[in-house]
Amino acid sequence: MREKSPRTEFSMKVVRAIRKIPRGRVATYGQIAALSGNGRAARGVAWILHSSSDAHRLPWHRVIGSRGRISLPRGRGFEEQRRRLAAEGVAVGRSGSIDLDVSQWQPRGTLPAAFRAYERALK
């Protein structure tokens, strides 16, 4: 039996974390990376979303930038993400801004050390 590579294991954790984001809530790329065990892998989360959203039927639109903004450029996904979030009741400003104090998902239960460190860094 082949062992899973760390990259594959991380990817699977990212997919599971994104699937847990409830309707009407958002998470940041860094938050998903931290929940998946590597708080420094926000760009890896973006790559996984880009390459696997359709295959895994992920709610990609619920993942946003760390500053509470839609990261996709206008004409390349911005409008679709804004529309989907608004349809779920997330208030999105004209510039793609989202109030994280209101809409950010707060996972419950036992959390990885990387996520606890991520939360401490935000304070």
Side-chain angles (χ1 to χ4, degrees), residues 34-109:
L35 283 169
S36 302
N38 186 348
R40 296 178 168 258
R43 287 185 183 192
V45 171
W47 184 86
I48 291 165
L49 275 172
H50 175 75
S51 63
S52 303
S53 286
D54 289 340
H56 292 285
R57 302 180 79 177
L58 298 175
W60 61 269
H61 59 285
R62 296 179 188 152
V63 184
I64 62 171
S66 63
R67 292 191 173 111
R69 295 184 108 69
I70 292 174
S71 298
L72 298 171
R74 292 186 186 273
R76 296 186 56 206
F78 175 91
E79 295 81 5
E80 176 71 11
Q81 187 170 14
R82 187 172 191 271
R83 183 188 64 71
R84 286 180 180 218
L85 288 171
E88 292 185 1
V90 176
V92 183
R94 296 186 96 188
S95 66
S97 61
I98 297 158
D99 186 344
L100 291 176
D101 289 334
V102 173
S103 298
Q104 188 171 24
W105 171 49
Q106 297 299 322
R108 304 281 182 243

Side-chain angles (χ1 to χ4, degrees), residues 3-22:
E3 277 189 46
K4 293 178 187 167
S5 74
R7 183 178 296 168
T8 302
E9 190 172 324
F10 176 74
S11 296
M12 290 171 35
K13 288 179 181 179
V14 166
V15 167
R16 283 193 298 270
I18 292 169
R19 284 186 176 149
K20 290 180 182 178
I21 306 168

